[in-house]
Every structure is written in C-alpha cells, then in structure tokens.
C-alpha cells in the first residue's frame, strides 16, 4: 500500500520507475514535464531515504510483487466486440510467443490476425513484466517510418545524434517485454531490417507480428492462421461468430436457421471479415438473400487464378456488399479510401463532394456505409470520425483507380492536406500536438501518393516544406530533416531547393549531426551555383567551413582540413560585397584561419589578440547584415577567442548577449539550433565568472528545452555543474540519473561537454560520503570525456575542492600544482578562476611558503568573480589568522548563491560558527567538512 507520505502522483512516478522508464518516458506517459518528473524523483529519494534512482526502481518492483500497486493494463487497443472461437490457435500462439523471440501470424486479409494477436498479447501480458506495446502500421505509407511508429507506441522520442530506431532499441534494451506489430505486409521492407536490429539489441524482447506474408528475417517463427473452423456445422466457430455479430445488429437468428448460417459460413470459407460483413446484412436480407448475393458475386470474381480461396472469399463478400450499395455510396466509399487515418465528415465532404455527390449526400452516405460495416465510427473529443478497415480501404482504392477518379481525388486530398498543414503552421497552444497527430499520417500519405506525379509536384513541394516545419515543431527532428531534403528534391527551381537544404542543415545541427549539417550546406552551395547565385553559394560554403571548425568535437569523422580550406577559398571567389556575404566570410575566416573556436584541427599557435580582432569583425558585419542568427554565431566565436586571452568576463558577456538577441527571434530550425548552443555556452561561461544564479537559470532553460527532452546528458550537463558548485545536492542527484540514463541510451557518447557534468556528480557523492557512488561516476568520467580534460582541467578543480572538504590540503595542492600557464588549454575557459582560487586556498592550508604570493596573484585574476573572490579572501583571512572576518565572507558566498562554500566558511571559522556550518552541511545532504 502507498505510504501516507507519498502523493498519488509520486506513486505513479514510482510505479513507472519500477518499469525502468526514463524521465522523458514517464513525462510522456503521465502528460507532465520532464522537470516535474525530476522533482517527483527527488522528493521520492528524500521521503523514502533512498540513495539513488536504482534503489527506487528496486523498491517499486518489490511493491509490485507484493501487491503494493495494480499492474498497469497492457498498452493494447480495447476491441469493441467479443472474441469468438480460436481456442486452439490462442493456446498454440501464446506458447509460440513465450518460446520464440519473433512470431509472425500470417494469413489472408480478413482472416482475423489482428484480433487473435490482441487476444494472445493480453493473455500473455503477465509473462512480460516490463510491458506490452501495440503498434498498428496501417497508416504508414513509407517503410522508413516503421521506427517512428514503434517509438510512438512505446512512448519514446527521437534523440539528438540518433534516430527513432536507436531510441526504441535503447528504451527496450534490458526489458522483458512484448511488442505487437500489426498489419506489416505493405511496409515489410522497413519492418524486416528494423526488427533484425531491434532483436539483436534487445535480448529480452519478444515480438508478435501480423502480416499477409512472412518477414524473412532471422529467428522468425511463422504461425499460419487458417480461416475459422467450419467443423461442427451450425455449432462451428465460424457459425458462432456469425450468430454473435448478427445479434448485435438485429434480432438474433433462431435455432431453425442453423443450417443456413452454416451454409453461409461455408460459402465464405470461414473468413472472419467476410462473416462479420455478411452477418451485418442478416436482419435485412435473411439467409436466402445472403446466399443469392454471394452466388451472383462468385461468378464475377476478379481475384485471378493466383488468388487463393481465402482471398477470393474476402473479395467475394466485398464485391457483394459493394454491389448492394447505391451508386452514390459506391462513389463515396472509393473516394474516402484516400484517408489513411480516421477522418471527419467535413473532411470527407471536401474530398468526395463532387458529382454525383454534394456535401449533404456525403454526410448521409457515411452513415449508410457505417451501417453496412464498411466504415467504423470512432467518437473523439473533436467529434465523430470515420475509418475504413485496411482491407476495405485498399478495396476502395482499387475502385477509385478503376473509376478514373484517382487524379481528381488525389488532387483534392493534397489540397485538403495543404490547408490542414497551413492551419497547423499558423496555430499553436493547447491541443496543437493532438491536432497534428490526427492528420499527420494523411499528410505523409499525400506526399507519398503525389511526389512522383508531375502534375502534383508543386503541391507536393509545398507540403514537404510544411511537413518539415510541422515535424520540427512536433520535435520529430529526423522526419523534419527528411522532409526538407524531400522538398529540395521536389523544387522545380534550384533557388527554393537551396532554402530547403539550409533548413535541413539547421535541423541536422539540432540533432547533433554536424556531419550531416556540413554536407547539406555543401549540397546547397552546389544548387546555388547551378542556379547562378554565386553569393548564395559562397554563404553556404562559408557556413560549411564554420561548422567543420565550430563543432569539430561532435563529428564522427572530420572532413579533411584541406577540403574545408578549399571551400573557403571558393567562397571568397563567389562572394559579392553584400553585408550577408561579408558577414559569412568573416565568420569563416575567424573559425578556420584564426581558430576562434579552438577546433581539433585548428592552429593552437594563433595569436590570441588577432583571433579576438577577427571574431569582433565578424560580429560587426553580422550586425550590419541584420542577421541575428549570424550575429549569435559570431558572438560565439568572439566568446571563444576572448577566453583564450584570459578575459573570462568578456567571454561571459558575449555569451549572454547571444541569449538576449535570440530571445527576440522566432523559433526557426536555424534559430533554435543557435539558441540551444547559446544556452549551453551562456551557462558555462557564467559558471566561469561565478555567476551561479544565471548559470543555473540558463542551465534550467537548457534542461527544459523540448528538443532535448530525450537527450538528458546534453540537456542537464551545465545545470549539474552549476548545482554542484552551488551545493544544490537534490538537484544534482535528480539530474544525475537523467544524465546517466540518456548517456547510456546514446551509446555512451564521448564529448568534451559531458565530462564536467560527470565530474560534478562524482564530487557531490564524495561530499556526501558515498565512495561507492563516487567510484561509479569516476568510471563515467573516464568514458564520457577526453582524459586530459579531466586530468588537467575540470577534474583538477572538482578533485581539489573535494580534497579540501575532507581536510587533505597537501593532496589538493598536488592536484592543482601546475601553474595555470602550463595547463592553459584546459583551464582558461570555464575553470580558470576556480583553479586559481583553489590553488591559493590549498597553498594556505598546506602551509606553503609562497602561499601569500599565490593569494595575491589570485586576487588579481579572479577580481569581479563573487565566488572565487570570496574564496581567495577566505584564504587570505586564514593566512592572516583573521577568524572573526570569516562570517562576513560566508555571507558573501550566500549572496552569490553558493550555499556549499558558505557552510564551509562557517566550519573553518571554528568556535560557535562551526556548529552552524556543520548543520548547514547536513541540511544540504553533505557530510560535515574539516
């Protein structure tokens, strides 16, 4: 039973922790923000006295086994009708699912594969404690979107630097779960490789597939599903289904017609869909009418000699049902077949409302088609929606082509999709995501159907552009990039293609795929040259050069330096004297020639003053061009260059100005990419100058950014560092779990931006007196970031701080013994002030003879940094024996937002202040220092 101290929402979070869901997955499941989940996890850790998230997960699992909560129902659709028959098949399929990794139920359309799979999945749910998920692939029109459909079903989002396939694999990697994929036959070429990768990556996962044909992948166990049994005549499974469905639409057939019912089922070959359609006609036609209709239609079957008997039976009943419709209803059925997702009457009227139908006739006809079981009715919060079963939809599509209406209906559907996309692009607010999801598959289907038809190419281009924008807003970054590239391919001129490729490049940057971004700008330059627009080509070549140097640490494989320099030379040749061209070239010169970003392939011997001048020139030209995104990028170069000169405050100011500029810019892909980077740099440089409140505020904005909801390692990195320095232990512990989970899911990415966060967490565990947890995080550091960065830079800072906390001044001094000039590359950015202040304090506490000299030198370096200045002044007071002056320094730390150092200062003050400092440490969740 849930303890009284735990709220209902906390209990829900705890239950999902027991299922090994990430914070992002919990947020999606409970429709709350990731930040709120983090708050609940932190609260649970405190209330239950648990050391970490893994302990919470174990506690949740124990509560589940002990009956402490109700098991969540499997994530399966709830059928609206009872399941009839199939006793033997249910038993055999359940055994197959338990015993084999991949089971494919194969059979003709309408045989009952979906209903059997749902029944067996629900029956087997207890054997899969980590979850049962269901994904219907009917709406898919592109094999490449299989991973996206499964990710939506499982509740995971796309992660920067990866795709949906990777996200699903990482989410299910260690789970004993069952995944049901329904209606796979039309996207088998996408399902097969997806499942092969998924099953390899997820050794405990089992998959149940329904398809008209087997997938032909390793480990597949095929389960052929025959029609319903006819054995027993009027007591057969097939007859039982007929009677059940007939009773639902009218008076139940009496016992006197048992033989006639059996005869109908026999004629239909035991096909479940055919039987249900025939049963819907029982009350109006009776047995004679049914048999007569089927007899007529069987004479004009169009299934062909290669169609098996079961398929002929489904087509027979569909032909028969179709033949009983009025001509207007036949037209309606074939025209609405273009919808792949549930649609409204208004939507149907727009697409189908032309001769012989008008709007009113469409609405009436939908009702009649639903009465005949040719459409299903799905009430929703936005009104009644209709949907055709896939078999019926495909049947209608065949008749659409045969009636010669395909071009007209496809054109109308495309116009409808363009209108819906325009509405979504101009809207927002509550319910936007639901509205997008309701039409997204139709937008995709319209693109698939029209992209290769010359007469629809212009509309398809516009729709691809809209889908790029909408997918980006929906945080479907992989699809957004794909759609922009598709739009470029559909453009009838090179000019629009250039703009689309630039958008694709920006989205790739948001995904952390800077190699893609580099290549897309190169392709845009080719298109611009082909269009005769040399200045545009110059800008894209310059942009590609900037990306290669600015984001060098995130490239899987850096482009050769000579290739980049050749691109820059070509850009100089093509550029004109416009402000945009001059700004782009200036930034590329600062990046490549002056190495303002400190790139891996850069020249470390560039004079710092020249680098600053080059970057400042780029800023001036970008401002003159009136391009805020370009100005932010140039300010990033300036911030980097200024840090090389040791001017931490100028570096932080340039980073702050980026936020100021970008907050006024609409959230396009390019602006969003720039803002994500700006938040990280602003938080980092604010830490460097001791502005912890701003660092935490910008770090929180970064952690809450929707595009980083699935990338907790990147999102939380600088917030973890700021919280660690501030002594916000609860925030570090909650954010650390999000960081580690996301980092592990990413494939344990190694990058310079992750090591400091892991080191900050390791330090906090050391301050808490938990050596085992610290050891775990030291292992993360070794794998998350470059070794020299930790040994000479941030690692020295965090280790020295921890050693001083525990009274080991000699070891602390050894850790920061090298003069800053000797380790300049690793300490000049964020860590210079912290390194210098710790070095001075360690020298004082270790009794070094040159301690006063180090303190005086440090005062000059850190002047203006409230935290580092207070630390140096504390060292000076200790050197001078001025214990009475320490409480005032503690107050200065408190005012700077650094509660940890305030508490430590009181401990160092001794006397009555020591007890207050130790109590403050305890309140923070730390062991008292010495």
């Amino acid at each position: 039973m849930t303890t009284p101290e735990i709220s209902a929402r906390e209990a829900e979070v705890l239950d999902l922790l027991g299922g090994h869901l990430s914070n992002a997955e919990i947020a999606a499941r409970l429709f709350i923000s990731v930040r709120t989940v983090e708050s609940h996890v932190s609260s649970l850790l405190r209330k239950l006295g648990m050391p970490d998230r893994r302990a919470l997960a174990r506690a949740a699992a124990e509560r589940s086994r002990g009956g402490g909560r109700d098991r969540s129902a499997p994530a399966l659709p709830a059928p609206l009708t009872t399941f009839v028959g199939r006793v033997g098949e249910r038993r055999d399929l359940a055994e197959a699912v338990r015993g084999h990794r991949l089971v494919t139920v194969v059979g003709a359309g309408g045989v009952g594969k979906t209903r059997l799979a749902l029944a067996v999945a629900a029956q087997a749910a207890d054997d899969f404690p980590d979850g049962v998920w269901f994904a219907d692939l009917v709406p898919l029109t592109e094999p490449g979107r299989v991973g996206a459909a499964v990710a939506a079903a499982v509740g995971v989002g796309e992660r920067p630097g990866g795709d949906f396939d990777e996200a699903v694999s990482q989410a299910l990697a260690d789970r004993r779960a069952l995944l049901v994929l329904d209606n796979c036959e039309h996207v088998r070429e996408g399902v097969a490789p997806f499942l092969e990768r998924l099953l390899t990556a997820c050794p405990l996962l089992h998959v149940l597939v329904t398809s008209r044909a087997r997938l032909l992948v390793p480990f597949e166990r095929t389960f052929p599903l025959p029609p319903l049994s006819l054995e027993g005549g009027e007591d057969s499974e097939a007859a039982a289904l007929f009677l059940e469905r007939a009773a639902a639409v009218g008076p139940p057939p009496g016992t006197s017609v048992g033989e006639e019912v059996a005869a109908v089922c026999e004629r239909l070959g035991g096909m479940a869909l055919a039987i249900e359609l025939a049963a819907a006609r029982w009350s109006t036609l009776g047995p004679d009418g049914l048999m007569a209709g089927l007899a007529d239609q069987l004479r004009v079957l169009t299934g062909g000699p290669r169609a098996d008997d079961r398929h002929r039976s489904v087509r027979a009943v569909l032909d028969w049902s179709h033949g009983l419709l009025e001509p207007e209803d036949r037209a309606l059925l074939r025209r609405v077949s273009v919808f792949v997702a549930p649609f409204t009457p208004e939507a149907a009227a727009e697409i189908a409302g032309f001769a012989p139908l008008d709007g009113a006739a469409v609405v009436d006809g939908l009702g009649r088609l639903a009465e005949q079981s040719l459409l299903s009715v799905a009430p929703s919060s936005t009104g009644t929606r209709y949907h055709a079963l896939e078999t019926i939809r495909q049947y209608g599509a065949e008749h659409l082509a045969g009636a010669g209406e395909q071009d007209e209906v496809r054109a109308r559907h495309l116009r409808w999709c363009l209108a819906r996309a325009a509405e979504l692009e101009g809207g927002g607010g509550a319910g936007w995501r639901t509205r997008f999801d309701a039409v997204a598959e139709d937008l995709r289907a319209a693109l698939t159907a029209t992209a290769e038809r010359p007469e629809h190419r212009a509309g398809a281009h516009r729709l691809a552009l809209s889908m790029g924008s909408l997918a980006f807003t929906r945080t479907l970054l992989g699809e957004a990039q794909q759609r922009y590239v598709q739009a470029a391919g559909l453009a009838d001129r090179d000019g629009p293609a250039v703009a689309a490729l630039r958008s694709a490049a920006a989205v790739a940057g948001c995904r952390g795929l800077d190699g893609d971004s580099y290549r897309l700008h190169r392709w845009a330059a080719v298109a611009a040259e082909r269009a005769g627009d040399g200045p545009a080509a110059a800008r894209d070549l310059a942009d590609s050069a900037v990306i290669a140097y600015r984001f060098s640490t995130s490239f899987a494989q850096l482009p050769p330096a000579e290739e980049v320099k050749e691109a820059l030379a070509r850009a100089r040749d093509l550029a004109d004297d416009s402000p945009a061209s001059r700004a782009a070239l200036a930034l590329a010169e600062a990046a490549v020639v002056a190495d303002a970003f400190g790139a891996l392939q850069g020249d470390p011997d560039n004079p710092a003053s020249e680098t600053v001048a080059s970057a400042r020139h780029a800023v001036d030209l970008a401002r003159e061009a009136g391009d805020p995104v370009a100005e932010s990028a140039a300010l990033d170069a300036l911030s980097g260059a200024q840090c090389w000169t040791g001017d931490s405050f100028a570096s932080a100011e340039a980073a702050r100005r980026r936020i100021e500029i970008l907050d006024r810019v609409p959230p396009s892909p390019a602006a969003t990419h720039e803002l994500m980077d700006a938040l990280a740099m602003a938080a980092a440089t604010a830490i460097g100058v001791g502005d912890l409140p701003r660092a935490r505020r910008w770090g929180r904005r970064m952690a809450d950014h929707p595009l980083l909801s699935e990338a907790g390692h990147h999102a939380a990195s600088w917030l973890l560092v700021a919280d660690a320095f501030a002594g916000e232990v609860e925030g570090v512990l909650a954010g650390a779990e999000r960081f580690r989970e996301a980092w592990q899911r990413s494939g344990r990415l190694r990058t310079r931006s992750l090591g400091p966060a892991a080191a900050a967490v390791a330090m906090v565990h050391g301050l808490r007196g938990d050596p085992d947890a610290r050891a775990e995080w030291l292992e993360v550091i070794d794998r998350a970031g470059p070794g020299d960065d930790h040994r000479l830079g941030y690692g020295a800072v965090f280790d020295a701080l921890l050693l001083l906390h525990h009274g080991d001044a000699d070891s602390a001094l050894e850790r920061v013994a090298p003069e800053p000039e000797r380790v300049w590359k690793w300490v000049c950015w964020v860590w210079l002030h912290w390194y210098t202040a710790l070095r001075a304090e360690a020298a004082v506490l270790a009794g070094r003879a040159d301690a006063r000299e180090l303190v005086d030198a440090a005062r000059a370096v850190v002047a203006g940094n409230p935290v580092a200045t207070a630390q140096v002044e504390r060292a000076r007071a200790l050197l001078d024996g001025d214990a009475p002056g320490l409480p005032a320094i503690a107050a200065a730390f408190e005012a700077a937002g650094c509660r940890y150092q305030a508490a430590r200062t009181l401990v160092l003050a001794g006397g009555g202040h020591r007890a207050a400092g130790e109590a403050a440490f305890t309140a923070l969740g730390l062991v008292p220092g010495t």
Side-chain angles (χ1 to χ4, degrees), residues 427-433 435:
W432 184 93
R433 176 172 174 167
R435 295 197 302 276

Side-chain angles (χ1 to χ4, degrees), residues 160 509-510 671-681 702 705 707-708:
C510 292
T672 301
H673 178 216
E674 195 63 36
L675 179 61
M676 291 165 66
D677 180 75
L679 287 170
M681 296 303 100
M702 184 177 169
H705 198 289
L707 292 188
L708 293 174

